[in-house]
Amino acid sequence: MPIHVELDPGSRVACVTFAGDVRLDDYLHLIRELEGRVAQGAACGILAVTDPDMRLSTPSEVRVIAAALQQSELLCELRVAIVATSTVLYGLARMLALLAGADDTMQVFTMREEAERWLVSGSPDQLRLHAPVHPPVSCAPPSLARYFRAEP
């Protein structure tokens, strides 16, 4: 099974793990399943953990997933923390958050512990204090500072 959902009853966080051949239909089915859990009051946050060997979505698939998330009123109000296990997955997950218009409620992390802390952190005003605002250091673009002279 490419997607597995496990609910922590104490924190009411749905932990979603992705592995292998995850297709567009799998993502859309997952959104409907999570909507049901939220409607029942069973989930109040989502921790999504990727596998480095999973099939990568195309940008056009990411757009379809983002549109489905935008149409979901229930999921728009949840915190979603995505743990990206590769540089490419990090970029696709950031693209998803931006296209879904969920930049405040959906954040991308490289470390599971940071993602878990952000999920249970305080008010929405504190969201950006816990979320990275740049890709992992290993994939940051090279500095262009050496090409420009500092003016006195």
mmCIF file of all heavy atoms in Angstrom, residues 1-4 14-22 27 30 46-57 62 65 80-94 96 106-113 115-116 136:
data_model
loop_
_atom_site.group_PDB
_atom_site.id
_atom_site.type_symbol
_atom_site.label_atom_id
_atom_site.label_comp_id
_atom_site.label_asym_id
_atom_site.label_seq_id
_atom_site.Cartn_x
_atom_site.Cartn_y
_atom_site.Cartn_z
ATOM 1 N N MET A 1 0.849 -1.185 0.000
ATOM 2 C CA MET A 1 0.000 0.000 0.000
ATOM 3 C C MET A 1 0.891 1.244 0.000
ATOM 4 O O MET A 1 1.739 1.402 0.871
ATOM 5 C CB MET A 1 -0.886 -0.031 1.239
ATOM 6 C CG MET A 1 -1.844 1.094 1.346
ATOM 7 S SD MET A 1 -3.492 0.397 1.219
ATOM 8 C CE MET A 1 -4.457 1.824 1.039
ATOM 9 N N PRO A 2 0.714 2.145 -0.961
ATOM 10 C CA PRO A 2 1.606 3.306 -1.062
ATOM 11 C C PRO A 2 1.364 4.374 0.004
ATOM 12 O O PRO A 2 2.257 5.143 0.309
ATOM 13 C CB PRO A 2 1.336 3.855 -2.457
ATOM 14 C CG PRO A 2 -0.020 3.347 -2.816
ATOM 15 C CD PRO A 2 -0.209 2.062 -2.075
ATOM 16 N N ILE A 3 0.154 4.417 0.584
ATOM 17 C CA ILE A 3 -0.157 5.414 1.610
ATOM 18 C C ILE A 3 -0.751 4.703 2.814
ATOM 19 O O ILE A 3 -1.663 3.892 2.681
ATOM 20 C CB ILE A 3 -1.156 6.467 1.091
ATOM 21 C CG1 ILE A 3 -0.576 7.233 -0.101
ATOM 22 C CG2 ILE A 3 -1.518 7.442 2.202
ATOM 23 C CD1 ILE A 3 -1.523 8.226 -0.723
ATOM 24 N N HIS A 4 -0.219 5.026 3.984
ATOM 25 C CA HIS A 4 -0.726 4.442 5.222
ATOM 26 C C HIS A 4 -1.074 5.581 6.179
ATOM 27 O O HIS A 4 -0.280 6.501 6.371
ATOM 28 C CB HIS A 4 0.328 3.530 5.855
ATOM 29 C CG HIS A 4 -0.081 2.974 7.169
ATOM 30 N ND1 HIS A 4 -1.057 1.999 7.301
ATOM 31 C CD2 HIS A 4 0.322 3.263 8.425
ATOM 32 C CE1 HIS A 4 -1.216 1.716 8.583
ATOM 33 N NE2 HIS A 4 -0.392 2.466 9.284
ATOM 34 N N ALA A 14 -3.041 12.832 12.542
ATOM 35 C CA ALA A 14 -3.032 11.726 11.588
ATOM 36 C C ALA A 14 -1.651 11.667 10.961
ATOM 37 O O ALA A 14 -1.208 12.621 10.329
ATOM 38 C CB ALA A 14 -4.094 11.939 10.514
ATOM 39 N N CYS A 15 -0.953 10.563 11.169
ATOM 40 C CA CYS A 15 0.373 10.375 10.579
ATOM 41 C C CYS A 15 0.196 9.614 9.273
ATOM 42 O O CYS A 15 -0.282 8.483 9.259
ATOM 43 C CB CYS A 15 1.289 9.616 11.535
ATOM 44 S SG CYS A 15 2.943 9.416 10.846
ATOM 45 N N VAL A 16 0.581 10.261 8.190
ATOM 46 C CA VAL A 16 0.429 9.685 6.855
ATOM 47 C C VAL A 16 1.824 9.375 6.325
ATOM 48 O O VAL A 16 2.675 10.262 6.282
ATOM 49 C CB VAL A 16 -0.280 10.679 5.907
ATOM 50 C CG1 VAL A 16 -0.460 10.072 4.525
ATOM 51 C CG2 VAL A 16 -1.607 11.130 6.483
ATOM 52 N N THR A 17 2.064 8.135 5.946
ATOM 53 C CA THR A 17 3.354 7.769 5.367
ATOM 54 C C THR A 17 3.155 7.378 3.908
ATOM 55 O O THR A 17 2.182 6.715 3.555
ATOM 56 C CB THR A 17 4.021 6.614 6.144
ATOM 57 O OG1 THR A 17 3.107 5.529 6.244
ATOM 58 C CG2 THR A 17 4.434 7.048 7.532
ATOM 59 N N PHE A 18 4.077 7.852 3.100
ATOM 60 C CA PHE A 18 4.041 7.597 1.663
ATOM 61 C C PHE A 18 5.244 6.740 1.295
ATOM 62 O O PHE A 18 6.356 7.017 1.729
ATOM 63 C CB PHE A 18 4.139 8.908 0.875
ATOM 64 C CG PHE A 18 3.046 9.885 1.168
ATOM 65 C CD1 PHE A 18 3.168 10.813 2.187
ATOM 66 C CD2 PHE A 18 1.876 9.878 0.418
ATOM 67 C CE1 PHE A 18 2.156 11.720 2.461
ATOM 68 C CE2 PHE A 18 0.867 10.779 0.681
ATOM 69 C CZ PHE A 18 1.002 11.702 1.700
ATOM 70 N N ALA A 19 5.044 5.714 0.484
ATOM 71 C CA ALA A 19 6.151 4.877 0.033
ATOM 72 C C ALA A 19 5.812 4.274 -1.323
ATOM 73 O O ALA A 19 4.641 4.052 -1.640
ATOM 74 C CB ALA A 19 6.419 3.766 1.042
ATOM 75 N N GLY A 20 6.834 4.048 -2.098
ATOM 76 C CA GLY A 20 6.639 3.342 -3.362
ATOM 77 C C GLY A 20 5.933 4.140 -4.433
ATOM 78 O O GLY A 20 6.173 5.323 -4.617
ATOM 79 N N ASP A 21 5.020 3.482 -5.106
ATOM 80 C CA ASP A 21 4.365 4.019 -6.292
ATOM 81 C C ASP A 21 3.065 4.741 -5.927
ATOM 82 O O ASP A 21 1.977 4.199 -6.074
ATOM 83 C CB ASP A 21 4.089 2.859 -7.260
ATOM 84 C CG ASP A 21 3.667 3.346 -8.633
ATOM 85 O OD1 ASP A 21 3.978 4.498 -8.983
ATOM 86 O OD2 ASP A 21 3.019 2.563 -9.354
ATOM 87 N N VAL A 22 3.180 5.976 -5.440
ATOM 88 C CA VAL A 22 2.012 6.775 -5.059
ATOM 89 C C VAL A 22 1.534 7.536 -6.295
ATOM 90 O O VAL A 22 2.286 8.296 -6.893
ATOM 91 C CB VAL A 22 2.349 7.757 -3.917
ATOM 92 C CG1 VAL A 22 1.114 8.525 -3.495
ATOM 93 C CG2 VAL A 22 2.960 7.017 -2.739
ATOM 94 N N TYR A 27 -3.542 10.136 -3.865
ATOM 95 C CA TYR A 27 -3.582 11.407 -3.134
ATOM 96 C C TYR A 27 -5.012 11.917 -2.986
ATOM 97 O O TYR A 27 -5.410 12.384 -1.923
ATOM 98 C CB TYR A 27 -2.740 12.478 -3.841
ATOM 99 C CG TYR A 27 -1.256 12.264 -3.751
ATOM 100 C CD1 TYR A 27 -0.524 11.919 -4.875
ATOM 101 C CD2 TYR A 27 -0.578 12.423 -2.547
ATOM 102 C CE1 TYR A 27 0.849 11.733 -4.803
ATOM 103 C CE2 TYR A 27 0.796 12.242 -2.465
ATOM 104 C CZ TYR A 27 1.501 11.891 -3.598
ATOM 105 O OH TYR A 27 2.852 11.711 -3.517
ATOM 106 N N LEU A 30 -6.814 9.933 -0.466
ATOM 107 C CA LEU A 30 -6.335 10.316 0.866
ATOM 108 C C LEU A 30 -7.030 11.588 1.356
ATOM 109 O O LEU A 30 -7.445 11.668 2.518
ATOM 110 C CB LEU A 30 -4.821 10.536 0.841
ATOM 111 C CG LEU A 30 -4.223 11.116 2.120
ATOM 112 C CD1 LEU A 30 -4.345 10.138 3.274
ATOM 113 C CD2 LEU A 30 -2.773 11.517 1.889
ATOM 114 N N ILE A 46 -2.114 16.974 10.571
ATOM 115 C CA ILE A 46 -1.624 15.923 9.695
ATOM 116 C C ILE A 46 -0.103 15.998 9.635
ATOM 117 O O ILE A 46 0.462 17.061 9.376
ATOM 118 C CB ILE A 46 -2.196 16.054 8.270
ATOM 119 C CG1 ILE A 46 -3.721 15.957 8.305
ATOM 120 C CG2 ILE A 46 -1.612 14.993 7.347
ATOM 121 C CD1 ILE A 46 -4.386 16.338 7.005
ATOM 122 N N LEU A 47 0.541 14.877 9.886
ATOM 123 C CA LEU A 47 1.979 14.737 9.728
ATOM 124 C C LEU A 47 2.202 13.812 8.548
ATOM 125 O O LEU A 47 1.847 12.633 8.600
ATOM 126 C CB LEU A 47 2.617 14.150 10.993
ATOM 127 C CG LEU A 47 4.112 13.851 10.910
ATOM 128 C CD1 LEU A 47 4.903 15.147 10.745
ATOM 129 C CD2 LEU A 47 4.570 13.096 12.142
ATOM 130 N N ALA A 48 2.735 14.332 7.459
ATOM 131 C CA ALA A 48 2.960 13.540 6.248
ATOM 132 C C ALA A 48 4.447 13.266 6.115
ATOM 133 O O ALA A 48 5.248 14.200 6.076
ATOM 134 C CB ALA A 48 2.448 14.295 5.029
ATOM 135 N N VAL A 49 4.810 12.006 6.062
ATOM 136 C CA VAL A 49 6.211 11.604 5.988
ATOM 137 C C VAL A 49 6.457 10.896 4.670
ATOM 138 O O VAL A 49 5.803 9.896 4.363
ATOM 139 C CB VAL A 49 6.583 10.681 7.170
ATOM 140 C CG1 VAL A 49 8.059 10.313 7.115
ATOM 141 C CG2 VAL A 49 6.237 11.338 8.503
ATOM 142 N N THR A 50 7.405 11.428 3.898
ATOM 143 C CA THR A 50 7.703 10.841 2.594
ATOM 144 C C THR A 50 8.820 9.809 2.723
ATOM 145 O O THR A 50 9.572 9.792 3.684
ATOM 146 C CB THR A 50 8.145 11.923 1.593
ATOM 147 O OG1 THR A 50 9.356 12.525 2.060
ATOM 148 C CG2 THR A 50 7.069 12.987 1.423
ATOM 149 N N ASP A 51 8.908 8.956 1.726
ATOM 150 C CA ASP A 51 9.963 7.959 1.636
ATOM 151 C C ASP A 51 10.882 8.388 0.495
ATOM 152 O O ASP A 51 10.394 8.782 -0.568
ATOM 153 C CB ASP A 51 9.324 6.596 1.334
ATOM 154 C CG ASP A 51 10.351 5.502 1.214
ATOM 155 O OD1 ASP A 51 11.078 5.482 0.203
ATOM 156 O OD2 ASP A 51 10.421 4.659 2.121
ATOM 157 N N PRO A 52 12.206 8.326 0.676
ATOM 158 C CA PRO A 52 13.099 8.795 -0.393
ATOM 159 C C PRO A 52 12.971 8.013 -1.696
ATOM 160 O O PRO A 52 13.332 8.512 -2.758
ATOM 161 C CB PRO A 52 14.503 8.649 0.201
ATOM 162 C CG PRO A 52 14.365 7.807 1.406
ATOM 163 C CD PRO A 52 12.935 7.861 1.843
ATOM 164 N N ASP A 53 12.433 6.808 -1.631
ATOM 165 C CA ASP A 53 12.302 5.987 -2.836
ATOM 166 C C ASP A 53 10.914 6.037 -3.468
ATOM 167 O O ASP A 53 10.625 5.283 -4.387
ATOM 168 C CB ASP A 53 12.643 4.527 -2.507
ATOM 169 C CG ASP A 53 14.080 4.382 -2.053
ATOM 170 O OD1 ASP A 53 14.945 5.107 -2.590
ATOM 171 O OD2 ASP A 53 14.325 3.564 -1.151
ATOM 172 N N MET A 54 10.055 6.925 -2.970
ATOM 173 C CA MET A 54 8.707 6.981 -3.532
ATOM 174 C C MET A 54 8.719 7.623 -4.915
ATOM 175 O O MET A 54 9.617 8.393 -5.250
ATOM 176 C CB MET A 54 7.753 7.734 -2.599
ATOM 177 C CG MET A 54 8.009 9.228 -2.490
ATOM 178 S SD MET A 54 6.892 10.057 -1.353
ATOM 179 C CE MET A 54 5.456 10.259 -2.356
ATOM 180 N N ARG A 55 7.721 7.285 -5.708
ATOM 181 C CA ARG A 55 7.563 7.885 -7.032
ATOM 182 C C ARG A 55 7.272 9.367 -6.873
ATOM 183 O O ARG A 55 6.461 9.763 -6.055
ATOM 184 C CB ARG A 55 6.398 7.210 -7.769
ATOM 185 C CG ARG A 55 6.071 7.829 -9.106
ATOM 186 C CD ARG A 55 4.725 7.281 -9.619
ATOM 187 N NE ARG A 55 4.190 8.115 -10.651
ATOM 188 C CZ ARG A 55 3.433 9.201 -10.437
ATOM 189 N NH1 ARG A 55 3.125 9.571 -9.231
ATOM 190 N NH2 ARG A 55 2.973 9.903 -11.446
ATOM 191 N N LEU A 56 7.934 10.192 -7.654
ATOM 192 C CA LEU A 56 7.739 11.632 -7.566
ATOM 193 C C LEU A 56 6.536 12.056 -8.395
ATOM 194 O O LEU A 56 6.322 11.557 -9.498
ATOM 195 C CB LEU A 56 8.984 12.364 -8.064
ATOM 196 C CG LEU A 56 10.257 12.096 -7.279
ATOM 197 C CD1 LEU A 56 11.432 12.786 -7.942
ATOM 198 C CD2 LEU A 56 10.112 12.554 -5.844
ATOM 199 N N SER A 57 5.765 12.975 -7.857
ATOM 200 C CA SER A 57 4.642 13.542 -8.595
ATOM 201 C C SER A 57 5.184 14.536 -9.613
ATOM 202 O O SER A 57 6.226 15.163 -9.403
ATOM 203 C CB SER A 57 3.699 14.273 -7.643
ATOM 204 O OG SER A 57 3.161 13.399 -6.707
ATOM 205 N N VAL A 62 0.845 17.907 -8.952
ATOM 206 C CA VAL A 62 0.861 18.750 -7.754
ATOM 207 C C VAL A 62 -0.218 19.828 -7.864
ATOM 208 O O VAL A 62 -0.900 20.136 -6.895
ATOM 209 C CB VAL A 62 2.260 19.373 -7.524
ATOM 210 C CG1 VAL A 62 2.230 20.400 -6.405
ATOM 211 C CG2 VAL A 62 3.285 18.284 -7.215
ATOM 212 N N ILE A 65 -3.582 18.205 -7.055
ATOM 213 C CA ILE A 65 -3.679 17.958 -5.614
ATOM 214 C C ILE A 65 -3.934 19.268 -4.876
ATOM 215 O O ILE A 65 -4.773 19.331 -3.971
ATOM 216 C CB ILE A 65 -2.402 17.262 -5.092
ATOM 217 C CG1 ILE A 65 -2.236 15.900 -5.761
ATOM 218 C CG2 ILE A 65 -2.436 17.129 -3.573
ATOM 219 C CD1 ILE A 65 -0.841 15.298 -5.607
ATOM 220 N N VAL A 80 -0.784 21.107 8.507
ATOM 221 C CA VAL A 80 -0.215 19.974 7.790
ATOM 222 C C VAL A 80 1.295 20.164 7.771
ATOM 223 O O VAL A 80 1.792 21.167 7.265
ATOM 224 C CB VAL A 80 -0.748 19.881 6.343
ATOM 225 C CG1 VAL A 80 -0.095 18.719 5.606
ATOM 226 C CG2 VAL A 80 -2.263 19.762 6.331
ATOM 227 N N ALA A 81 2.014 19.217 8.357
ATOM 228 C CA ALA A 81 3.473 19.240 8.357
ATOM 229 C C ALA A 81 3.968 18.117 7.450
ATOM 230 O O ALA A 81 3.620 16.961 7.648
ATOM 231 C CB ALA A 81 4.000 19.041 9.770
ATOM 232 N N ILE A 82 4.740 18.486 6.447
ATOM 233 C CA ILE A 82 5.269 17.508 5.502
ATOM 234 C C ILE A 82 6.755 17.332 5.778
ATOM 235 O O ILE A 82 7.499 18.316 5.824
ATOM 236 C CB ILE A 82 5.051 17.967 4.051
ATOM 237 C CG1 ILE A 82 3.560 18.169 3.771
ATOM 238 C CG2 ILE A 82 5.665 16.966 3.073
ATOM 239 C CD1 ILE A 82 3.258 18.815 2.435
ATOM 240 N N VAL A 83 7.173 16.092 5.962
ATOM 241 C CA VAL A 83 8.590 15.786 6.151
ATOM 242 C C VAL A 83 9.118 15.271 4.818
ATOM 243 O O VAL A 83 8.761 14.179 4.377
ATOM 244 C CB VAL A 83 8.802 14.735 7.264
ATOM 245 C CG1 VAL A 83 10.291 14.451 7.443
ATOM 246 C CG2 VAL A 83 8.178 15.205 8.573
ATOM 247 N N ALA A 84 9.934 16.086 4.172
ATOM 248 C CA ALA A 84 10.488 15.745 2.865
ATOM 249 C C ALA A 84 11.847 15.083 3.046
ATOM 250 O O ALA A 84 12.723 15.638 3.706
ATOM 251 C CB ALA A 84 10.610 16.993 2.004
ATOM 252 N N THR A 85 12.017 13.915 2.465
ATOM 253 C CA THR A 85 13.240 13.149 2.657
ATOM 254 C C THR A 85 14.238 13.324 1.517
ATOM 255 O O THR A 85 15.269 12.665 1.508
ATOM 256 C CB THR A 85 12.898 11.659 2.822
ATOM 257 O OG1 THR A 85 12.058 11.264 1.728
ATOM 258 C CG2 THR A 85 12.172 11.407 4.127
ATOM 259 N N SER A 86 13.934 14.209 0.578
ATOM 260 C CA SER A 86 14.891 14.521 -0.483
ATOM 261 C C SER A 86 14.676 15.970 -0.910
ATOM 262 O O SER A 86 13.636 16.569 -0.633
ATOM 263 C CB SER A 86 14.728 13.587 -1.682
ATOM 264 O OG SER A 86 13.575 13.935 -2.434
ATOM 265 N N THR A 87 15.661 16.491 -1.589
ATOM 266 C CA THR A 87 15.595 17.871 -2.060
ATOM 267 C C THR A 87 14.443 18.071 -3.044
ATOM 268 O O THR A 87 13.720 19.062 -2.976
ATOM 269 C CB THR A 87 16.927 18.247 -2.735
ATOM 270 O OG1 THR A 87 17.973 18.022 -1.789
ATOM 271 C CG2 THR A 87 16.945 19.691 -3.171
ATOM 272 N N VAL A 88 14.246 17.120 -3.936
ATOM 273 C CA VAL A 88 13.176 17.234 -4.926
ATOM 274 C C VAL A 88 11.811 17.182 -4.238
ATOM 275 O O VAL A 88 10.921 17.980 -4.552
ATOM 276 C CB VAL A 88 13.297 16.131 -6.001
ATOM 277 C CG1 VAL A 88 12.124 16.176 -6.959
ATOM 278 C CG2 VAL A 88 14.606 16.290 -6.758
ATOM 279 N N LEU A 89 11.644 16.259 -3.288
ATOM 280 C CA LEU A 89 10.380 16.185 -2.552
ATOM 281 C C LEU A 89 10.129 17.474 -1.775
ATOM 282 O O LEU A 89 8.990 17.925 -1.672
ATOM 283 C CB LEU A 89 10.379 14.983 -1.607
ATOM 284 C CG LEU A 89 10.238 13.622 -2.275
ATOM 285 C CD1 LEU A 89 10.514 12.505 -1.277
ATOM 286 C CD2 LEU A 89 8.867 13.467 -2.888
ATOM 287 N N TYR A 90 11.180 18.072 -1.229
ATOM 288 C CA TYR A 90 11.037 19.340 -0.513
ATOM 289 C C TYR A 90 10.470 20.404 -1.456
ATOM 290 O O TYR A 90 9.521 21.103 -1.125
ATOM 291 C CB TYR A 90 12.391 19.786 0.052
ATOM 292 C CG TYR A 90 12.295 21.013 0.922
ATOM 293 C CD1 TYR A 90 12.224 20.904 2.300
ATOM 294 C CD2 TYR A 90 12.268 22.294 0.372
ATOM 295 C CE1 TYR A 90 12.131 22.013 3.110
ATOM 296 C CE2 TYR A 90 12.166 23.416 1.171
ATOM 297 C CZ TYR A 90 12.105 23.278 2.537
ATOM 298 O OH TYR A 90 11.997 24.387 3.332
ATOM 299 N N GLY A 91 11.045 20.505 -2.649
ATOM 300 C CA GLY A 91 10.574 21.502 -3.612
ATOM 301 C C GLY A 91 9.140 21.255 -4.056
ATOM 302 O O GLY A 91 8.338 22.195 -4.145
ATOM 303 N N LEU A 92 8.789 20.003 -4.312
ATOM 304 C CA LEU A 92 7.418 19.688 -4.712
ATOM 305 C C LEU A 92 6.428 19.970 -3.582
ATOM 306 O O LEU A 92 5.319 20.459 -3.828
ATOM 307 C CB LEU A 92 7.314 18.223 -5.148
ATOM 308 C CG LEU A 92 7.974 17.877 -6.489
ATOM 309 C CD1 LEU A 92 8.042 16.377 -6.674
ATOM 310 C CD2 LEU A 92 7.237 18.541 -7.648
ATOM 311 N N ALA A 93 6.835 19.687 -2.345
ATOM 312 C CA ALA A 93 5.949 19.952 -1.206
ATOM 313 C C ALA A 93 5.756 21.455 -0.998
ATOM 314 O O ALA A 93 4.650 21.903 -0.688
ATOM 315 C CB ALA A 93 6.509 19.298 0.055
ATOM 316 N N ARG A 94 6.798 22.248 -1.175
ATOM 317 C CA ARG A 94 6.655 23.710 -1.073
ATOM 318 C C ARG A 94 5.742 24.219 -2.178
ATOM 319 O O ARG A 94 4.913 25.097 -1.966
ATOM 320 C CB ARG A 94 8.026 24.396 -1.156
ATOM 321 C CG ARG A 94 8.839 24.269 0.095
ATOM 322 C CD ARG A 94 8.220 24.973 1.295
ATOM 323 N NE ARG A 94 8.055 26.390 1.032
ATOM 324 C CZ ARG A 94 6.984 27.108 1.392
ATOM 325 N NH1 ARG A 94 5.984 26.552 2.023
ATOM 326 N NH2 ARG A 94 6.909 28.385 1.124
ATOM 327 N N LEU A 96 3.336 22.570 -3.554
ATOM 328 C CA LEU A 96 1.984 22.195 -3.150
ATOM 329 C C LEU A 96 1.408 23.199 -2.161
ATOM 330 O O LEU A 96 0.272 23.662 -2.324
ATOM 331 C CB LEU A 96 1.989 20.793 -2.535
ATOM 332 C CG LEU A 96 0.667 20.311 -1.942
ATOM 333 C CD1 LEU A 96 -0.384 20.170 -3.041
ATOM 334 C CD2 LEU A 96 0.863 19.005 -1.202
ATOM 335 N N MET A 106 0.318 24.883 6.071
ATOM 336 C CA MET A 106 1.062 23.730 5.564
ATOM 337 C C MET A 106 2.532 24.120 5.475
ATOM 338 O O MET A 106 2.874 25.061 4.765
ATOM 339 C CB MET A 106 0.548 23.324 4.179
ATOM 340 C CG MET A 106 1.224 22.085 3.611
ATOM 341 S SD MET A 106 0.672 21.690 1.921
ATOM 342 C CE MET A 106 -1.049 21.289 2.181
ATOM 343 N N GLN A 107 3.376 23.407 6.203
ATOM 344 C CA GLN A 107 4.799 23.704 6.205
ATOM 345 C C GLN A 107 5.588 22.454 5.863
ATOM 346 O O GLN A 107 5.141 21.333 6.111
ATOM 347 C CB GLN A 107 5.237 24.234 7.573
ATOM 348 C CG GLN A 107 4.599 25.555 7.949
ATOM 349 C CD GLN A 107 5.031 26.703 7.055
ATOM 350 O OE1 GLN A 107 6.162 26.747 6.591
ATOM 351 N NE2 GLN A 107 4.129 27.625 6.812
ATOM 352 N N VAL A 108 6.771 22.665 5.309
ATOM 353 C CA VAL A 108 7.617 21.562 4.880
ATOM 354 C C VAL A 108 8.878 21.552 5.738
ATOM 355 O O VAL A 108 9.477 22.599 5.986
ATOM 356 C CB VAL A 108 7.986 21.686 3.392
ATOM 357 C CG1 VAL A 108 8.793 20.477 2.931
ATOM 358 C CG2 VAL A 108 6.740 21.859 2.537
ATOM 359 N N PHE A 109 9.270 20.367 6.165
ATOM 360 C CA PHE A 109 10.419 20.198 7.038
ATOM 361 C C PHE A 109 11.324 19.100 6.496
ATOM 362 O O PHE A 109 10.893 18.266 5.701
ATOM 363 C CB PHE A 109 9.960 19.786 8.455
ATOM 364 C CG PHE A 109 9.073 20.803 9.104
ATOM 365 C CD1 PHE A 109 7.700 20.778 8.875
ATOM 366 C CD2 PHE A 109 9.595 21.774 9.930
ATOM 367 C CE1 PHE A 109 6.870 21.712 9.465
ATOM 368 C CE2 PHE A 109 8.773 22.716 10.526
ATOM 369 C CZ PHE A 109 7.406 22.694 10.296
ATOM 370 N N THR A 110 12.563 19.095 6.959
ATOM 371 C CA THR A 110 13.479 18.019 6.614
ATOM 372 C C THR A 110 13.662 17.067 7.794
ATOM 373 O O THR A 110 14.173 15.970 7.619
ATOM 374 C CB THR A 110 14.850 18.564 6.185
ATOM 375 O OG1 THR A 110 15.374 19.377 7.240
ATOM 376 C CG2 THR A 110 14.728 19.384 4.911
ATOM 377 N N MET A 111 13.251 17.479 8.970
ATOM 378 C CA MET A 111 13.386 16.668 10.181
ATOM 379 C C MET A 111 12.011 16.414 10.791
ATOM 380 O O MET A 111 11.246 17.352 11.017
ATOM 381 C CB MET A 111 14.263 17.378 11.217
ATOM 382 C CG MET A 111 15.648 17.753 10.716
ATOM 383 S SD MET A 111 16.709 16.337 10.464
ATOM 384 C CE MET A 111 16.922 15.801 12.132
ATOM 385 N N ARG A 112 11.720 15.161 11.086
ATOM 386 C CA ARG A 112 10.419 14.799 11.656
ATOM 387 C C ARG A 112 10.175 15.480 13.001
ATOM 388 O O ARG A 112 9.066 15.909 13.296
ATOM 389 C CB ARG A 112 10.311 13.281 11.792
ATOM 390 C CG ARG A 112 8.956 12.849 12.310
ATOM 391 C CD ARG A 112 8.834 11.356 12.390
ATOM 392 N NE ARG A 112 7.544 11.011 12.946
ATOM 393 C CZ ARG A 112 6.798 10.021 12.530
ATOM 394 N NH1 ARG A 112 7.223 9.262 11.546
ATOM 395 N NH2 ARG A 112 5.639 9.771 13.084
ATOM 396 N N GLU A 113 11.203 15.583 13.830
ATOM 397 C CA GLU A 113 11.047 16.174 15.155
ATOM 398 C C GLU A 113 10.591 17.640 15.054
ATOM 399 O O GLU A 113 9.736 18.085 15.814
ATOM 400 C CB GLU A 113 12.364 16.102 15.949
ATOM 401 C CG GLU A 113 12.805 14.688 16.269
ATOM 402 C CD GLU A 113 13.459 13.974 15.070
ATOM 403 O OE1 GLU A 113 13.931 14.633 14.116
ATOM 404 O OE2 GLU A 113 13.460 12.730 15.089
ATOM 405 N N ALA A 115 8.910 18.955 12.567
ATOM 406 C CA ALA A 115 7.530 18.925 12.068
ATOM 407 C C ALA A 115 6.553 18.637 13.199
ATOM 408 O O ALA A 115 5.510 19.289 13.318
ATOM 409 C CB ALA A 115 7.391 17.874 10.966
ATOM 410 N N GLU A 116 6.890 17.670 14.049
ATOM 411 C CA GLU A 116 6.023 17.331 15.179
ATOM 412 C C GLU A 116 5.905 18.501 16.155
ATOM 413 O O GLU A 116 4.817 18.789 16.649
ATOM 414 C CB GLU A 116 6.543 16.088 15.887
ATOM 415 C CG GLU A 116 6.367 14.825 15.062
ATOM 416 C CD GLU A 116 7.056 13.608 15.653
ATOM 417 O OE1 GLU A 116 7.906 13.763 16.570
ATOM 418 O OE2 GLU A 116 6.757 12.484 15.200
ATOM 419 N N PRO A 136 16.498 22.790 2.346
ATOM 420 C CA PRO A 136 17.620 22.276 3.121
ATOM 421 C C PRO A 136 18.932 22.862 2.611
ATOM 422 O O PRO A 136 19.077 23.152 1.427
ATOM 423 C CB PRO A 136 17.565 20.771 2.874
ATOM 424 C CG PRO A 136 16.193 20.493 2.382
ATOM 425 C CD PRO A 136 15.698 21.754 1.747
#
